[in-house]
Amino acid sequence: MSRRRRRAQYDSSPNYQAKCQELLRTAADVFKEKGFEGITLHEIAERFETDRASIYYYFASKTGLFQAFSTTSWLMFSMRTSRLPRASSSATTTQPESCAASSSNR
């Protein structure tokens, strides 16, 4: 399965990317409702109207899915706040270390 997942990621077809983004949105809703510890991949799969094995096509684990969700959330937050006026020039913005790692784990 991991070979198939890697091949799909490198292919990056529009269909693969669209399904992956749809899965992330669905998972985000479930993570927000129940938290990381409160859910299983089975619950996410049910909400996504698929089976758990299909989720493994896109993500290696619940942790990998959560990291992708976190990275996406962080990037959206950063993009929104970058348009706001700065309070002072001494404020610094740092990204979590997992940002680069989570995209490679998918």
Side-chain angles (χ1 to χ4, degrees):
M1 180 67 85
S2 64
R3 216 177 324 162
R4 184 175 156 208
R5 185 183 324 111
R6 275 194 301 268
R7 190 172 36 240
Q9 289 170 339
Y10 290 126
D11 176 25
S12 295
S13 70
N15 187 43
Y16 175 87
Q17 293 300 323
K19 280 292 210 185
C20 188
Q21 291 303 311
E22 185 181 342
L23 175 57
L24 276 172
R25 283 190 295 274
T26 301
D29 291 340
V30 180
F31 283 129
K32 288 175 192 174
E33 290 170 16
K34 298 184 176 185
F36 180 81
E37 294 295 327
I39 63 165
T40 64
L41 279 180
H42 180 75
E43 290 175 283
I44 295 171
E46 281 183 343
R47 183 81 63 95
F48 193 59
E49 298 180 355
T50 192
D51 58 11
R52 198 176 72 199
S54 295
I55 292 183
Y56 286 115
Y57 179 67
Y58 297 95
F59 297 96
S61 64
K62 180 173 84 169
T63 300
L65 180 57
F66 186 77
Q67 287 175 337
F69 157 70
S70 299
T71 299
T72 302
S73 298
W74 171 257
L75 292 174
M76 296 289 287
F77 174 77
S78 295
M79 287 175 17
R80 288 183 183 141
T81 58
S82 68
R83 294 183 217 143
L84 298 174
R86 298 279 182 216
S88 72
S89 61
S90 64
T92 59
T93 304
T94 58
Q95 292 182 327
E97 290 182 34
S98 63
C99 285
S102 66
S103 62
S104 65
N105 288 336
R106 284 187 270 166

